[in-house]
Amino acid sequence: MSKESGASPASDLPNIDTSHWQTPVFDACLPGLSEHKPRILLLYGSLRDRSFSRLAVEEAARLLTAMGAETRIFNPEGLPQADTGDEHHPKVKELRELMMWSEGQVWCSPERHGAMTSIFKSQIDWVPLSIGGVRPTQGKTLALMQVCGGSQSFNTVNQMRILGRWMRMVTIPNQSSVPKAFLEFEEDGRMKPSPFYNRIVDVMEELMKFTLLLRGNKDFFVDRYSERVESAEALSKRVNQKSIQDIE
């Protein structure tokens, strides 16, 4: 089915380049069919032997697998801090390849000092906005979770939601925050039945729905007029420009 929808703009829009104008239509929103299982990457934010963010991610991966997804969990141990290691480091290459492989993602971090951990943030910092002219996260779905050492908080999921938007990801509305996480997991690492477990089921179910809906048509949903009118050369220059810090 064609994705073209090139109706001309109204005559009272003199600033519009009509050669790049598109009117969104319903038929263009219909997803293309994909035969492979939805590919979901899961990230967590602690290196402790008994990491509750890892245990939550492992539980999420079991749910996603039962729902028909193919899941991969990235282990951040050994990943160098951004700007201090070689981008060809094996862990950096593994992370970037998984970012490209995925169609959806789950992020889970502990809350530390009211924020996500440096372990989690360093994983995102290693993902450039563009790899070989391709944005590795644009249009991919994203589900957010956090684990808390004390009472329930939403600081970390709120921060990660900002990150997801910056990475041009489709962040689903639902999210999970597990308070007093040390009480919510058995000794074998499995999560106990509770309303918090049920919320994780809800979040994974919603992630699967959004991923199935968008993965075959994400290019249409993230296509932007401003980038269509911008030349490829100008776009590349802007996306890959040095940051102010780099210039200084």
Side-chain angles (χ1 to χ4, degrees):
M1 181 177 294
S2 173
K3 304 295 185 185
E4 297 298 326
S5 53
S8 297
S11 58
D12 62 347
L13 298 176
N15 295 330
I16 290 294
D17 182 343
T18 57
S19 64
H20 293 287
W21 173 265
Q22 293 181 6
T23 300
V25 296
F26 176 75
D27 286 350
C29 297
L30 298 176
L33 297 178
S34 299
E35 295 183 359
H36 62 272
K37 295 180 178 181
R39 300 191 293 255
I40 309 296
L41 169 64
L42 300 95
L43 306 179
Y44 60 93
S46 171
L47 299 179
R48 294 177 177 174
D49 289 341
R50 187 168 171 81
S51 163
F52 294 111
S53 61
R54 176 177 55 79
L55 294 180
V57 153
E58 290 175 349
E59 205 66 50
R62 294 185 187 100
L63 291 165
L64 290 166
T65 300
M67 294 176 190
E70 179 182 358
T71 63
R72 297 185 186 179
I73 300 173
F74 177 73
N75 180 356
E77 185 171 5
L79 181 72
Q81 286 290 311
D83 301 327
T84 63
D86 186 351
E87 66 176 7
H88 300 296
H89 188 284
K91 294 299 291 188
V92 176
K93 291 178 66 176
E94 177 189 357
L95 176 60
R96 291 183 175 182
E97 288 170 0
L98 287 173
M99 284 282 171
M100 297 295 290
W101 168 84
S102 69
E103 296 171 323
Q105 297 184 19
V106 177
W107 296 356
C108 183
S109 174
E111 180 168 320
R112 187 169 297 164
H113 300 307
M116 74 187 79
T117 64
S118 61
I119 297 297
F120 185 85
K121 182 58 163 57
S122 67
Q123 295 173 74
I124 305 304
D125 288 344
W126 270 117
V127 182
L129 184 61
S130 176
I131 299 178
V134 177
R135 291 184 175 89
T137 54
Q138 178 164 306
K140 298 175 193 252
T141 53
L142 173 62
L144 303 174
M145 304 193 300
Q146 73 171 80
V147 293
C148 311
S151 59
Q152 190 174 44
S153 167
F154 296 92
N155 292 324
T156 298
V157 287
N158 288 339
Q159 286 186 329
M160 292 191 295
R161 193 168 291 275
I162 293 173
L163 270 181
R165 185 177 71 235
W166 183 256
M167 303 298 285
R168 295 190 176 184
M169 303 182 77
V170 180
T171 309
I172 66 171
N174 212 342
Q175 60 190 23
S176 169
S177 175
V178 181
K180 297 182 180 179
F182 59 91
L183 298 177
E184 298 301 323
F185 292 87
E186 304 283 3
E187 285 302 313
D188 63 1
R190 298 303 303 268
M191 193 169 183
K192 300 175 183 178
S194 71
F196 303 117
Y197 175 81
N198 292 348
R199 174 57 67 90
I200 291 179
V201 177
D202 289 347
V203 173
M204 296 307 110
E205 184 179 60
E206 188 171 292
L207 176 66
M208 280 291 288
K209 291 175 181 178
F210 274 79
T211 303
L212 290 168
L213 178 66
L214 295 175
R215 66 173 179 158
N217 202 17
K218 71 180 183 65
D219 290 340
F220 172 75
F221 281 96
V222 300
D223 185 36
R224 300 181 177 189
Y225 168 80
S226 62
E227 294 181 354
R228 292 196 299 271
V229 299
E230 190 175 17
S231 70
E233 180 180 358
L235 175 61
S236 177
K237 182 178 180 180
R238 177 174 59 78
V239 169
N240 296 301
Q241 66 183 332
K242 290 180 177 293
S243 66
I244 293 175
Q245 183 178 1
D246 291 337
I247 293 172
E248 292 176 347

